[in-house]
Amino acid sequence: MKFFIRGGALGIALLALSGTAQAVSINTDGRLVISAEDGTFSARISGRLHADANLYDSDRVEHDSGAFVRRARIGVMGHIRNWDYEVTFDNATDESDLKDAFVARQLGPGRLIVGQFKQFQGFEEITSSNDIVFIERSHVSNSMIARALGVGYHGTRGFMGYALSGYNLREASDGGARAVDDGVGGVLRLYAAPIQRDRTALHLGFSFSREVSDLGGTRGRLRPLGRSDEGRFTLFDASSGRDDVAEDARATVDRLNMELAALHGPVAFEAEWLVGSAEPDDAPDQDFSAYHAQLSYALTGGSPRRYDLGEGRTKNLRPSTGSIGAFEVALRYQFAENEAVPGAELTTVDTALNYYPNRNVRFMLNYSMAENALTGDEPNLLSFRAQVAF
């Protein structure tokens, strides 16, 4: 119900705004876009529904199987004169969660963005959840911050792209409409696509981030499979083994992530390698690393995965109009290691079969196997997703 109430409120606001223009056009080609014919205003309603089901084959740690709504988002994006804007809420849980809330505009050769937005690190992390190949992102992506309040600047020059931002380590919705400061961070991302022609592209890039926060917030934990919170793998923990932590103790976390992606017709390859270090006050550093490599193949016709130079990421394949849809198969290998703890290694292998009946709907079936070398836990997971996005 919250989903529809919030969507209705957004719709009423759009109609009120659009009523100030002399002439308004409405586009309903797979999406709802309201725009002023003089170009001073536009608004596009966006939404996504990801309904998941997980069936675990547990080993040493018991994981709960079940069905749930992973994402239920409604939002609006567009522009008012020279400024772009976007506001998106996720209503998948009892508490509404503010995702994107920012304004942006062209400034010089690039684009200035202010508010809460996805930070510029990681090829897969930058990619929308509507477009990722697997149901869950990789261990590399889950080792990074996603959205945060901040100020950023990004753009392209020729076949190269750049992005940098500074941010607070707490999301806006966590603050309860008040000022919060759980630490600060900054990130720089540079990438290049020296090959871009027809249905072929090559992407090379890297990002470097530094975050400084209190010790209690300096921890990275990974889910071996799916969304189960049981049996999490600790990638780093700056407060581990310390009982006498000073109230003002801080820690710095650095991450360097390398990106490689290639597209050629129906084939898409992606790999990332992350190395990092957590450096707490008056305690030894903790080094960690993670990497993944994946290969996907579009079995049927239509438009295969496409490269977006503006954001340095890929977008979903699209089936041919009037066809039965498009199928995609994929394989991924991923690994994570806490180098401060002997034997702390997590290995996961994922397979995927995706079906796209049209450009707005996708069905996903994944089978995943994980091994936590430290605990000896080796669970398996069969997962399914029904996705609608516009």
Side-chain angles (χ1 to χ4, degrees):
M1 180 62 71
K2 274 190 308 183
F3 185 88
F4 296 106
I5 292 174
R6 198 176 295 278
L10 286 171
I12 292 171
L14 291 179
L15 290 175
L17 285 169
S18 63
T20 62
Q22 293 183 350
V24 172
S25 63
I26 299 177
N27 185 341
T28 59
D29 182 19
R31 61 187 65 182
L32 176 60
V33 181
I34 303 171
S35 58
E37 293 187 354
D38 62 5
T40 58
F41 169 83
S42 74
R44 171 191 163 191
I45 298 290
S46 66
R48 74 183 67 179
L49 175 63
H50 295 175
D52 292 5
N54 287 344
L55 179 61
Y56 283 96
D57 175 18
S58 299
D59 186 31
R60 296 193 175 186
V61 177
E62 188 64 30
H63 299 275
D64 293 331
S65 301
F68 56 97
V69 175
R70 177 73 169 85
R71 299 177 180 91
R73 296 183 186 176
I74 187 73
V76 59
M77 63 185 72
H79 72 270
I80 301 177
R81 301 191 184 278
N82 296 327
W83 287 89
D84 301 326
Y85 66 90
E86 181 173 346
V87 180
T88 303
F89 293 91
D90 195 331
N91 301 278
T93 62
D94 292 338
E95 298 294 331
S96 182
D97 185 12
L98 180 64
K99 289 299 180 181
D100 294 303
F102 62 81
V103 294
R105 67 163 297 164
Q106 196 70 22
L107 183 65
R111 182 172 180 254
L112 175 71
I113 180 169
V114 181
Q116 178 162 293
F117 55 94
K118 187 172 286 189
Q119 297 304 310
F120 307 117
Q121 54 182 325
F123 185 88
E124 185 189 43
E125 184 60 37
I126 289 291
T127 301
S128 167
S129 61
N130 291 326
D131 297 334
I132 57 178
V133 177
F134 294 88
I135 291 176
E136 296 296 341
R137 287 187 168 90
S138 68
H139 299 326
V140 170
S141 294
N142 291 324
S143 305
M144 305 171 177
I145 192 169
R147 290 173 172 83
L149 282 164
V151 179
Y153 188 77
H154 65 105
T156 60
R157 187 177 180 86
F159 63 88
M160 302 183 66
Y162 57 89
L164 68 159
S165 66
Y167 51 87
N168 190 302
L169 292 182
R170 179 178 285 193
E171 293 188 15
S173 58
D174 295 333
R178 59 183 174 82
V180 294
D181 179 13
D182 273 6
V184 295
V187 62
L188 169 68
R189 183 180 185 229
L190 300 173
Y191 59 91
I195 300 176
Q196 294 180 80
R197 59 175 182 269
D198 193 19
R199 297 183 176 185
T200 300
L202 175 65
H203 169 99
L204 303 166
F206 80 92
S207 63
F208 175 78
S209 67
R210 169 164 290 185
E211 298 169 0
V212 181
S213 67
D214 61 88
L215 289 185
T218 311
R219 182 173 64 171
R221 302 178 68 204
L222 304 175
R223 294 180 173 94
L225 294 175
R227 300 298 296 171
S228 173
D229 285 329
E230 304 301 325
R232 284 203 182 195
F233 176 82
T234 300
L235 187 63
F236 62 90
D237 187 351
S239 61
S240 176
R242 302 185 65 184
D243 298 325
D244 56 345
V245 177
E247 185 176 343
D248 60 347
R250 310 283 277 181
T252 300
V253 178
D254 292 335
R255 298 178 181 87
L256 173 64
N257 187 59
M258 310 299 291
E259 311 168 4
L260 170 64
L263 304 174
H264 183 65
V267 179
F269 174 80
E270 175 187 321
E272 294 185 87
W273 176 44
L274 178 143
V275 292
S277 179
E279 304 169 5
D281 291 343
D282 304 321
D285 296 351
Q286 295 185 22
D287 295 333
F288 57 91
S289 62
Y291 64 84
H292 78 95
Q294 68 185 50
L295 184 68
S296 62
Y297 185 82
L299 296 173
T300 51
S303 174
R305 288 188 172 270
R306 298 151 291 143
Y307 181 72
D308 180 358
L309 177 65
E311 296 190 25
R313 69 179 185 95
T314 55
K315 293 186 176 182
N316 255 348
L317 58 87
R318 292 185 177 182
S320 301
T321 303
S323 69
I324 64 169
F327 289 88
E328 179 183 46
V329 292
L331 174 67
R332 176 174 67 186
Y333 178 86
Q334 46 181 334
F335 177 84
E337 180 181 13
N338 181 343
E339 298 177 15
V341 180
E345 299 177 352
L346 176 64
T347 304
T348 306
V349 177
D350 308 281
T351 59
L353 172 63
N354 301 326
Y355 171 56
Y356 303 77
N358 57 55
R359 61 187 288 186
N360 299 106
V361 178
R362 176 168 66 161
F363 297 98
M364 309 175 71
L365 184 67
N366 288 186
Y367 184 74
S368 304
M369 300 169 288
E371 178 184 4
N372 186 330
L374 188 63
T375 64
D377 188 35
E378 298 183 16
N380 301 320
L381 170 63
L382 180 66
S383 53
F384 171 79
R385 169 172 293 170
Q387 170 182 311
V388 178
F390 57 88

